[in-house]
Amino acid sequence: MSGFPILSLMLAIPAVAAVACVFLSANAARWTALIATLADLALGIFLWAQFDIGGPQWQFVERHDHLFGVFGYALGIDGFALMLIMLSVFLMPICIGASWRAIKSRVPEYMALFLVTELLMIGTFAAQDLFLFYVFFEAGLIPMYLIIGIWGGANRIYASYKFFLYTLLGSVLMLIAMLWMAHYAGTTDIPTLMQTDFPVHAQTWLWLAFFASFAVKMPMWPVHTWLPDAHVQAPTAGSVILAGVLLKLGGYGFLRFSLPMFPEASAQLTWLIFALSAVAVIYTSLVALVQQDMKKLIAYSSVAHMAIVTIGLFAFNRQGVEGAMIVMLSHGLVSGALFLCVGVIYDRLHTREIDRYGGLSINMPRYAVLFLLFTMASIGLPGTSGFVGEFLSLSGTYQLSTWIALLCTTGIILGAAYMLYLYRRVAFGEIRHDDVRKMPDLSIREFWLLAPIAAVVLWMGVYPESFLAPMRNDVGTLIARVSRATPVSDSQPAAGKSAPVAKGEAR
Amino acid sequence: MFDLASLMMVLPEEILSIGATVLMLVAAWGGQKSARAVTWVSIAILIGAGIALMGPASSGGVAFGGLIRADAFAGFSKALIYAAAAVALLMAPRFFERTSGGDLRPEYPVLILLSAAGMGIMVSAGDLLTLYVGLELQSLAAYVLASFMRRDARSAEAGLKYFVLGALASGILLYGISLVYGFSGTTMFDGVAQAYAAIVPGIHDYGLMFGLVFVFAGLAFKISAVPFHMWTPDVYEGAPTPVTAFFASAPKVAAMALAVRVAISAMGPAVSDWRQIVIFASLASIIFGAVAAIGQSNIKRLLAYSSINNVGFALVGLAAGTQQGVASVLMYLTIYIAMTLGSFLVVLQMRDHEGNPVESIASLSGLSRTRPGLAAAMAIFMFSLAGIPPLFGFYAKFAVFSAAVNAGLFPLAVFGIAASVIGAYYYLRIVKTMYFDDPAPAYAPGDSAVEGGLITVAAIFISPLGYLAIPVLGAWTMAAAKALF
């Protein structure tokens, strides 16, 4: 491990580029943003290549304790953080590319805000100090509020307020819990806190405070209502980053804080997570089925997919946690790609109404193929990333609660229903509108935005080991940490015994 | 009696009062023409007083037999007060030139200096009567300042309102002081503290308790905490903008520091009694300040409610009643005055084509396109006032809530921070107006390098770069708080 502060560099590049963008012309800002995000992607790949699988839990550690008085500047990543950072830096150049032509007004500010968002996402995943994490986590609200509010659709102001205030209210309670933890443990170091045993009666309160924040971020039913509004109003790239990375902050929070820091409370309140998730899977899938707006449909499908993540995380076993991580990565790619697909046709016709399209497979064959691939990945077809994650997550859940597994599996069926129904209405059938007939197929730029995602989706579906390997030890550590509190399973699988054989009949 | 050591400990106040007296004579003979020169000399005097703080004024201990306490707490508060007063002086010349036809009268800087001297006595008071003298010196100067634009009806109304209500509050405070004196036999903080410590638990000493309640009511008026806040929006709206900026910063710091000193030094043993009052005032200010601000359409009125809201948060730190709590109050005030002075400096830039000041929030529409730099600075101040990280305003709230949690005040911390989300709504509204709405007619271009520079400095201090100042500020505030324990 070199002493070179590579994580700080990954934070510094977008920061510098964001400041530069403000002072540049539109075109120069576009190129600056693209180059900066590609540089971060290159650094991310370097990070992955250098990551020592099976090595120490925390790698690339940088510490400046007490740089900010009571809390310090401490960075470092484990396998979970590495994978989520990879997801962020992978999606970011694609977002910039997707906004290349779609955003025409106030381009320098737009690019600067996206770069700030990237900085904050990487910072959130890499932070090793409790309050540094909080700062990065919360600060993400500001650029997203401005992105939705300035470049969003007609109802953008309502959506931006709702997004901001909902998530803020969730998070402030977490801050109080963090203050208590720092006071109790006498440290703000996340790895140390992950080893701290908090008193059981306090754990419940702390867990609920963190839950308030992460459940809104995730989002879990019934606090998911900000998401459809935010998605529908945000510009395409904003939706991509919202669905692709920002929703993962909730899952990452459960993984990093709730489970290892409060194992007993997590076990006690697993029923809450399971109940909300089961409702979310079925309810939001049904809601998705009747949507007329493509983005709204995908937004509701996100809520359903995130519920699969939460049940996997709280399954307290290896399959569940690994599955949850893969669902997060897969959903980040797939829903991002689906929003891009919506963006492609939205840029042509300026409507997201499903009924305005139809028969796109006739005049846009390349588009239809890629859209189909992402639709199938969203459903969870074997061979795509969606299958691996959902299968692992549900099989992990089955070991703890057969009923919840049963209920959530219906979500897969409903997911197939609404996604296929969407695809049929958009891509198949006759072309009914003249303006749809005139729509050109994917441009080269659009193709190259979608193709890399498609490649990774297939890679993750066929050989998920590449993505699971860096996380394996960390999952083991987490399971070992929570094992003392694992709830009793209702399935009680036992090794089979052969039936006793009566004497005399053996012959 | 010539007590040189004591005189050295009040050197800043001496510099200010002698300077103010001399400048008043200069103003009397020099007239209108001398206004600029008097302003610059006043700033020099404030700097001189600030330099004098480094001497015995901040480390000398007890002066004049205990009437004055020249400790680190007084030193830190005075540094904030002088800085805020200097900014209020820098803001003034252009404003008065533009609004009342070159009517910058040299009395303005003199009144600010006198007010600063009064505030200095307030924060270093060691006796209830010193406290009252300082408070009145500050207040009387402030009443005149509020009505400084004498031909403007709103300004006159603000001054009158401030005076009548301020006199009432002074009466309440004085009544409380008389009760405390009557039942403890002394006005010295030490003696008062002993009297409160001597109260046998379980037996109510109604005289001392009534005294405590009245003293806190009077102080609550001065810091404009709910339910004694009613004067704030009217006075802030009516007073000339530089004066409003001054009211929202320096006297706030002084009154808050005074409340802290009285609470800890004089009434420290009765912490469980005044804590209830402080908690109520804190939560009421946070919630009322936030809810009432939502409907405002005048930016100065909105900032007035914002200041009520902020006082509520500062009181959270006082409610903790610990050394960390006092340090967090000072930290809060430091960050708060940077944010609030920055915001008012932006308000000063709000002028239509003819240079007349505009105060409606609607006129900020689309500012991000007409004046991007100004809009960005205002957005930073607003997000910071809302307490959103990574801006420095977050750390202010972090410090006070940290103190409250460590003191075990969980309900206060939870309700207080939840109510901060209500406050976020109206700060967001300003950002929304500047960034999301279509441009309104542009403001006149900025023509003052001083004001632009001050806005930039404030914005940089409030930006994430400010976090690098935490270790230094933290050490100072902690040392200042230690002086009270």
Side-chain angles (χ1 to χ4, degrees):
Chain A
M1 202 107 347
S2 64
F4 186 72
I6 182 166
L7 288 170
S8 290
L9 185 63
M10 286 180 81
L11 297 178
I13 290 176
V16 171
V19 174
C21 274
V22 176
F23 297 100
L24 292 172
S25 68
N27 228 3
R30 287 188 182 111
W31 281 105
T32 312
L34 186 65
I35 291 167
T37 49
L38 285 174
D40 253 19
L41 176 59
L43 281 174
I45 293 170
F46 177 72
L47 206 63
W48 194 0
Q50 292 290 307
F51 190 82
D52 180 11
I53 295 170
Q57 188 186 2
W58 302 99
Q59 305 189 17
F60 305 100
V61 175
E62 298 167 32
R63 306 195 66 90
H64 299 279
D65 290 342
H66 304 292
L67 181 68
F68 307 124
V70 285
F71 64 103
Y73 177 81
L75 301 178
I77 53 170
D78 62 354
F80 298 133
L82 172 74
M83 280 296 121
L84 289 166
I85 288 177
M86 283 309 299
L87 179 66
S88 318
V89 295
F90 176 73
L91 285 176
M92 215 57 209
I94 293 171
C95 285
I96 302 291
S99 321
W100 205 264
R101 291 203 201 291
I103 301 296
K104 293 185 184 71
S105 69
R106 304 163 91 179
V107 179
E109 288 135 299
Y110 180 88
M111 295 297 166
L113 287 173
F114 259 88
L115 289 164
V116 170
T117 312
E118 173 169 36
L119 155 78
L120 297 174
M121 290 184 312
I122 299 174
T124 311
F125 294 130
Q128 276 210 315
D129 185 286
L130 199 56
F131 296 116
L132 189 67
F133 169 85
Y134 185 82
V135 166
F136 281 127
F137 183 81
E138 276 294 276
L141 295 182
I142 297 178
M144 215 53 215
Y145 169 74
L146 293 172
I147 288 170
I148 297 174
I150 300 179
W151 293 277
N155 203 9
R156 59 186 197 273
I157 290 170
Y158 170 75
S160 62
Y161 271 110
K162 196 166 176 181
F163 164 76
F164 196 102
L165 295 175
Y166 240 85
T167 27
L168 183 64
L169 184 60
S171 304
V172 289
L173 295 175
M174 179 169 81
L175 179 64
I176 297 293
M178 285 180 165
L179 288 169
W180 190 89
M181 288 161 66
H183 182 60
Y184 177 84
T187 177
T188 55
D189 184 47
I190 290 179
T192 315
L193 287 167
M194 285 167 72
Q195 306 296 327
T196 308
D197 295 319
F198 291 99
V200 175
H201 67 276
Q203 279 191 20
T204 311
W205 291 106
L206 297 172
W207 191 94
L208 287 172
F210 277 80
F211 176 74
S213 174
F214 298 143
V216 173
K217 264 282 191 292
M218 194 91 193
M220 292 177 75
W221 184 87
V223 285
H224 66 284
T225 58
W226 63 270
L227 184 74
D229 287 313
H231 267 318
V232 169
Q233 301 303 331
T236 302
S239 297
V240 173
I241 217 66
L242 198 57
V245 188
L246 294 182
L247 297 192
K248 309 301 171 287
L249 294 176
Y252 177 74
F254 281 128
L255 204 56
R256 177 66 76 237
F257 297 95
S258 302
L259 282 167
M261 293 184 191
F262 324 122
E264 278 82 13
S266 299
Q268 277 169 21
L269 291 157
T270 298
W271 63 270
L272 179 66
I273 296 273
F274 278 3
L276 296 182
S277 303
V279 173
V281 167
I282 296 167
Y283 169 77
T284 53
S285 297
L286 290 173
V287 172
L289 209 49
V290 295
Q291 293 306 314
Q292 297 301 316
D293 182 310
M294 283 188 261
K295 269 187 153 179
K296 230 172 190 161
L297 190 150
I298 301 169
Y300 279 110
S301 88
S302 292
V303 181
H305 279 108
M306 287 295 114
I308 304 280
V309 173
T310 42
I311 55 164
L313 287 176
F314 282 84
F316 288 83
N317 53 43
R318 178 173 287 277
Q319 286 93 327
V321 175
E322 288 187 347
M325 271 307 289
I326 294 288
V327 174
M328 282 209 265
L329 297 176
S330 157
H331 174 264
L333 297 167
V334 171
S335 70
L338 286 170
F339 279 120
L340 286 173
C341 286
V342 174
V344 164
I345 51 178
Y346 179 79
D347 286 347
R348 287 164 174 65
L349 219 54
H350 295 287
T351 175
R352 291 182 302 263
E353 208 184 319
I354 297 172
D355 289 342
R356 286 284 285 109
Y357 297 95
L360 289 185
S361 58
I362 298 169
N363 63 337
M364 297 175 73
R366 279 188 289 169
Y367 172 77
V369 169
L370 283 170
F371 191 20
L372 183 65
L373 172 70
F374 296 125
T375 304
M376 290 304 165
S378 178
I379 295 169
L381 194 74
T384 62
S385 57
F387 171 74
V388 180
E390 287 178 4
F391 179 78
L392 280 173
S393 184
L394 287 168
S395 71
T397 310
Y398 186 84
Q399 296 175 28
L400 194 62
S401 170
T402 47
W403 280 105
I404 294 297
L406 176 69
L407 289 173
C408 291
T409 311
T410 58
I412 312 289
I413 300 163
L414 289 168
Y418 63 72
M419 285 312 292
L420 289 174
Y421 185 45
L422 168 73
Y423 191 77
R424 186 189 73 74
R425 284 184 290 170
V426 171
F428 291 155
E430 292 301 311
I431 301 181
R432 281 165 296 152
H433 303 280
D434 284 342
D435 46 1
V436 173
R437 197 184 308 279
K438 288 197 204 94
M439 280 163 56
D441 204 351
L442 291 180
S443 71
I444 293 175
R445 176 180 66 88
E446 288 161 344
F447 178 78
W448 283 110
L449 294 178
L450 291 171
I453 305 183
V456 178
V457 164
L458 290 173
W459 177 13
M460 203 185 286
V462 175
Y463 192 66
E465 176 62 14
S466 315
F467 302 90
L468 285 170
M471 300 190 289
R472 184 149 294 135
N473 280 350
D474 301 312
V475 175
T477 315
L478 178 68
I479 298 301
R481 172 83 182 144
V482 297
S483 60
R484 64 170 195 232
T486 306
V488 181
S489 153
D490 69 349
S491 58
Q492 304 286 357
K497 263 190 229 161
S498 56
V501 182
K503 269 190 183 171
E505 287 183 16
R507 228 167 339 121
Chain B
M1 193 177 75
F2 186 74
D3 185 352
L4 185 66
S6 290
L7 285 175
M8 283 306 287
M9 286 185 227
V10 290
L11 190 59
E13 281 74 40
E14 286 157 5
I15 295 176
L16 288 173
S17 10
I18 294 171
T21 318
V22 171
L23 285 181
M24 200 160 358
L25 295 174
V26 172
W29 268 277
Q32 206 83 297
K33 301 185 295 296
S34 63
R36 288 225 158 222
V38 170
T39 304
W40 288 111
V41 175
S42 303
I43 291 169
I45 288 173
L46 279 171
I47 293 171
I51 293 170
L53 280 179
M54 290 178 212
S58 64
S59 55
V62 179
F64 300 113
L67 294 178
I68 292 278
R69 292 183 179 186
D71 50 19
F73 181 81
F76 188 85
S77 312
K78 284 183 203 173
L80 291 183
I81 291 166
Y82 297 161
V87 174
L89 284 177
L90 285 171
M91 288 162 87
R94 295 219 158 225
F95 175 83
F96 287 111
E97 266 170 31
R98 279 187 301 252
T99 47
S100 40
D103 195 14
L104 170 69
R105 280 163 292 140
E107 288 84 2
Y108 176 83
V110 173
L111 285 167
I112 296 260
L113 285 187
L114 286 172
S115 179
M119 289 187 275
I121 295 170
M122 279 162 74
V123 298
S124 49
D127 182 284
L128 290 171
L129 286 178
T130 325
L131 172 166
Y132 186 74
V133 169
L135 194 66
E136 283 306 287
L137 178 53
Q138 180 266 325
S139 300
L140 286 169
Y143 303 145
V144 183
L145 282 172
S147 51
F148 200 71
M149 285 162 73
R150 44 190 171 171
R151 291 188 194 88
D152 183 78
R154 280 197 314 166
S155 180
E157 181 198 331
L160 191 62
K161 220 171 226 171
Y162 196 13
F163 175 68
V164 172
L165 290 173
L168 179 68
S170 294
I172 293 175
L173 178 68
L174 212 47
Y175 182 54
I177 290 176
S178 73
L179 280 174
V180 171
Y181 173 63
F183 283 85
S184 68
T186 176
T187 52
M188 304 281 278
F189 285 179
D190 291 337
V192 172
Q194 278 167 18
Y196 277 102
I199 297 177
V200 183
I203 297 172
H204 293 290
D205 188 327
Y206 290 108
L208 282 175
M209 281 308 135
F210 268 84
L212 181 147
V213 170
F214 278 103
V215 167
F216 269 88
L219 292 175
F221 178 91
K222 294 295 171 190
I223 57 176
S224 67
V226 175
F228 301 99
H229 62 283
M230 280 79 105
W231 58 277
T232 319
D234 293 338
V235 172
Y236 278 31
E237 186 188 357
T241 308
V243 175
T244 313
F246 178 67
F247 284 173
S249 52
K252 268 280 166 27
V253 174
M256 199 66 215
L258 174 68
V260 169
R261 196 189 273 283
V262 171
I264 303 292
S265 295
M267 300 177 177
V271 58
S272 55
D273 294 305
W274 56 256
R275 180 179 273 163
Q276 312 163 23
I277 303 177
V278 171
I279 287 179
F280 171 78
S282 162
L283 281 179
S285 305
I286 293 173
I287 294 169
F288 182 83
V291 173
I294 291 174
Q296 302 306 321
S297 59
N298 180 302
I299 183 89
K300 281 165 79 180
R301 257 188 117 75
L302 183 124
L303 287 171
Y305 283 109
S306 151
S307 85
I308 296 173
N309 181 260
N310 276 289
V311 160
F313 287 112
L315 286 175
V316 171
L318 175 59
T322 56
Q323 189 179 328
Q324 192 199 1
V326 173
S328 72
V329 173
L330 292 177
M331 179 67 90
Y332 196 97
L333 292 172
T334 313
I335 299 171
Y336 164 74
I337 61 166
M339 297 188 289
T340 201
L341 285 174
S343 315
F344 276 108
L345 280 160
V346 175
V347 173
L348 269 190
Q349 313 301 310
M350 294 167 59
R351 301 185 313 271
D352 61 15
H353 289 303
E354 283 136 29
N356 299 317
V358 217
E359 292 171 5
S360 73
I361 293 175
S363 77
L364 282 165
S365 299
L367 188 68
S368 65
R369 273 180 268 186
T370 51
R371 295 276 297 276
L374 194 63
M378 191 64 168
I380 286 178
F381 297 136
M382 289 299 125
F383 278 125
S384 181
L385 281 166
I388 311 294
L391 300 163
F392 211 14
F394 164 71
Y395 186 75
K397 291 203 169 56
F398 175 91
V400 290
F401 282 112
S402 180
V405 167
N406 292 356
L409 302 174
F410 300 114
L412 172 66
V414 168
F415 286 112
I417 205 154
S420 78
V421 178
I422 311 175
Y425 174 78
Y426 67 85
Y427 294 122
L428 281 185
R429 196 159 66 96
I430 307 271
V431 177
K432 172 230 151 201
T433 311
M434 291 189 305
Y435 277 85
F436 304 170
D437 290 356
D438 291 327
Y443 293 138
D447 55 356
S448 166
V450 176
E451 286 165 16
L454 284 173
I455 292 176
T456 315
V457 171
I460 288 175
F461 180 69
I462 292 306
S463 78
L465 294 176
Y467 280 69
L468 298 173
I470 292 177
V472 179
L473 284 177
W476 285 349
T477 52
M478 215 56 194
K482 207 169 171 201
L484 293 191
F485 286 89

